[in-house]
Amino acid sequence: MSKSPGHGPGPAPEPAPVHDVIVIGGGIVGAAIARELSGHTVSVALVEARSDVGDGTSKANTAILHTGFDATPGTLESRLVARGYELLSRYARDAGIPVERTGAVLVAWNDDELDALPGLRKKAEDNGYDRCRLIPPEEVYELVPALGEGVLGGLTVPDESVICTWTTNLALATDARQRGAAVLLDHTVTEVSADDGVTTLHTTGGPVRGRWVVNAAGLGADRIDALFGHERFTVTPRRGELFVFDKLARPLVDLIVLPVPTSRGKGVLISPTVYGNVMLGPTSENLADRTATGTSEDGFAFLLDKGGRLMPALLDEEVTASYAGLRAAIDHPDYLIAADRAQRYLLVGGIRSTGLTAGMAIAEYVRQTLAEAGLDLDERAELPPPPRMPYIGESGVRPYQDAARIARDPAYGEIVCFCERVTAGEIRDACTAPLPARTPDGLRRRTRAMNGRCQGFFCGPAVEQLMSEHGAHETPCHEVTSR
């Protein structure tokens, strides 16, 4: 029987292109790796399960640029944190990422903690950092007068800093895209197959094929590792809850107040933020649910009790927001970075909260490891400069304060979010950027809109209207490639 024209099966679909390297995970570490590799003569795809980069572990942390003074000496982590501090400090200047060099002080509240301080100074020196200083309690109170009673001593770390983790992640991913990487969002990896030297990732966004795969999937890294046939580690989601206090609290805290760390973690800190607020937290709670980013009554009670002892005056200030983040804790004492040459697969697992600082150094290490494993990586002769990111910190000039910029474009003088002083021009730019905001949360991370006292109660409708006008809810964001 003859078939009517136009009703045949049609031509077979074109197979997915084969990338030289696929990087799984659009957090800070994955974005840094994609950026680093894209500076070489290989084709790179960055695959992210969520609808935006930096929407997982990387978006909710303490946002500290660490010197690495308290890392375990001799570990890969200690080496990469120290190198990452150097790389990210320089990159932040080039890309316009907000950083404040506040310094930090570790505070001892009991004899055991006081006795631990000299050992921490020695650990810092073993890590190559020799600027820590033991100080008596009266000097601690000179640095932080609002601390509660009972301080026994302290250890200064003058080069600890606070940074904008949101802008860091976005800058690295944007840089990777400008260097030619494909950014594939809404691509959850469900299965892996290999044939004739090419690995296919079967994802919710379609197949992605590559010659090498780098697993930087954070909380999901062990599950991706299992798809490649390995059983090397298990990720335990560790929830950390935090309070964010109003900007009126900032005079109380001009530097990072750190606890004396334990084997459980670095404990509860009090820290200024680059947005002008003060942060208290995090808690530390191991969970089974990898999506449990909600806050809890127990977490609130713990932070109120801890804050009341550390700095009673802080609890007199208003809490602007509370949030929780999940860290990928594993049963391994160091970063777990290992290549399987036969599978052309590289694991980047066990990257704790220090991954924010170490991300660019991890990317360097991954590039070196891949080269040693046989991947040809010739540096490209010409690269675009780092993207200059919109400035959302408080220590520099924001658009609403820039008269010359407003004169050129009045949209930068039209404030929409009054709590955070975010303008219509910034919202427009965020919705039309190379990696645009497509959700209200994505816009928060790019502009601070709806992130202040009213949490969007007043400005929410106007922000949503502007997002709609600029196509934020219309343009598909499943695949973003270089133009």
Side-chain angles (χ1 to χ4, degrees):
M1 180 181 296
S2 62
K3 297 180 180 178
S4 302
H7 292 280
E14 290 289 328
V18 178
H19 303 278
D20 292 312
V21 186
I22 304 168
V23 180
I24 303 174
I28 284 174
V29 173
I33 293 169
R35 173 196 170 272
E36 177 71 22
L37 296 178
S38 296
H40 298 75
T41 54
V42 290
S43 59
V44 178
L46 179 63
V47 172
E48 167 57 42
R50 298 173 182 259
S51 60
D52 197 5
V53 296
D55 194 32
T57 301
S58 293
K59 73 179 178 183
N61 58 40
T62 51
I64 294 176
L65 181 58
H66 288 292
T67 57
F69 77 97
D70 61 345
T72 301
T75 60
L76 180 62
E77 180 180 21
S78 69
R79 177 156 60 93
L80 295 184
V81 169
R83 172 65 174 159
Y85 180 91
E86 174 189 338
L87 291 173
L88 184 53
S89 296
R90 184 166 61 242
Y91 188 74
R93 290 193 295 270
D94 294 340
I97 298 168
V99 174
E100 287 189 44
R101 306 286 181 181
T102 59
V105 59
L106 282 84
V107 178
W109 297 90
N110 57 51
D111 289 334
D112 288 342
E113 292 177 353
L114 185 65
D115 291 343
L117 293 182
L120 286 168
R121 182 178 64 177
K122 175 64 166 55
K123 178 184 280 190
E125 292 169 351
D126 290 344
N127 282 317
Y129 185 77
D130 61 2
R131 285 168 50 78
C132 290
R133 188 167 61 90
L134 293 166
I135 59 174
E138 55 270 22
E139 194 167 340
V140 175
Y141 282 114
E142 287 176 9
L143 292 173
V144 194
L147 282 174
E149 296 181 358
V151 172
L152 299 183
L155 179 72
T156 63
V157 192
D159 298 298
E160 294 281 288
S161 305
V162 292
I163 189 170
C164 179
T165 183
W166 299 334
T167 308
T168 300
N169 206 144
L170 186 61
L172 292 167
T174 301
D175 208 351
R177 181 189 177 277
Q178 290 185 170
R179 291 176 169 203
V183 180
L184 308 177
L185 306 175
D186 295 310
H187 279 61
T188 303
V189 178
T190 58
E191 187 181 346
V192 173
S193 62
D195 181 50
D196 196 24
V198 174
T199 298
T200 300
L201 305 183
H202 303 272
T203 82
T204 53
V208 185
R209 301 198 300 158
R211 296 180 179 87
W212 272 89
V213 176
V214 176
N215 173 8
L219 283 169
D222 58 339
R223 293 178 175 175
I224 298 296
D225 203 43
L227 293 178
F228 281 86
H230 300 283
E231 295 182 3
R232 290 181 274 193
F233 67 107
T234 300
V235 169
T236 299
R238 183 168 293 167
R239 178 167 62 184
E241 300 180 53
L242 301 104
F243 283 159
V244 178
F245 288 86
D246 188 76
K247 292 175 176 55
L248 293 175
R250 180 63 186 265
L252 295 173
V253 187
D254 282 334
L255 78 169
I256 306 163
V257 180
L258 296 171
V260 177
T262 68
S263 59
R264 177 73 174 174
K266 297 188 176 180
V268 173
L269 58 83
I270 300 173
S271 174
T273 76
V274 293
Y275 319 116
N277 301 91
V278 172
M279 183 170 57
L280 169 70
T283 61
S284 181
E285 178 187 8
N286 288 343
L287 304 173
D289 184 357
R290 302 186 189 212
T291 64
T293 56
T295 53
S296 67
E297 290 185 12
D298 288 346
F300 280 16
F302 176 84
L303 290 176
L304 289 172
D305 177 68
K306 197 74 172 177
R309 286 184 281 134
L310 294 175
M311 188 175 286
L314 183 60
L315 297 191
D316 294 332
E317 303 295 334
E318 292 187 21
V319 174
T320 297
S322 61
Y323 68 92
L326 296 178
R327 291 162 279 173
I330 71 168
D331 50 353
H332 191 274
D334 200 357
Y335 290 170
L336 188 53
I337 303 177
D340 185 320
R341 295 190 185 202
Q343 290 183 301
R344 296 187 180 184
Y345 165 68
L346 189 144
L347 167 67
V348 182
I351 310 301
R352 291 169 278 277
S353 59
T354 53
L356 165 59
T357 301
M360 296 185 76
I362 292 170
E364 271 191 347
Y365 186 80
V366 164
R367 188 246 303 157
Q368 293 162 2
T369 303
L370 289 173
E372 291 169 1
L375 180 63
D376 290 331
L377 286 165
D378 295 322
E379 193 169 350
R380 289 170 53 189
E382 294 184 8
L383 288 172
R388 191 70 184 175
M389 304 306 294
Y391 188 81
I392 62 173
E394 281 293 294
S395 61
V397 177
R398 298 273 303 285
Y400 79 93
Q401 300 168 312
D402 190 337
R405 190 171 187 178
I406 294 169
R408 293 192 301 270
D409 186 342
Y412 293 115
E414 182 186 341
I415 294 177
V416 178
C417 170
F418 285 86
C419 295
E420 296 297 304
R421 302 293 192 267
V422 181
T423 66
E426 292 169 276
I427 294 171
R428 174 201 62 208
D429 293 348
C431 293
T432 56
L435 291 177
R438 292 300 176 219
T439 66
D441 280 346
L443 188 72
R444 286 176 190 263
R445 293 193 294 273
R446 288 162 172 81
T447 65
R448 286 171 43 186
M450 304 180 292
N451 217 42
R453 273 190 169 202
C454 81
Q455 290 289 291
F457 181 81
F458 178 77
C459 66
V463 170
E464 287 275 358
Q465 177 62 34
L466 281 171
M467 291 186 71
S468 180
E469 289 176 6
H470 296 297
H473 303 302
E474 299 171 3
T475 304
C477 61
H478 299 297
E479 180 171 358
V480 184
T481 57
S482 60
R483 292 191 178 92

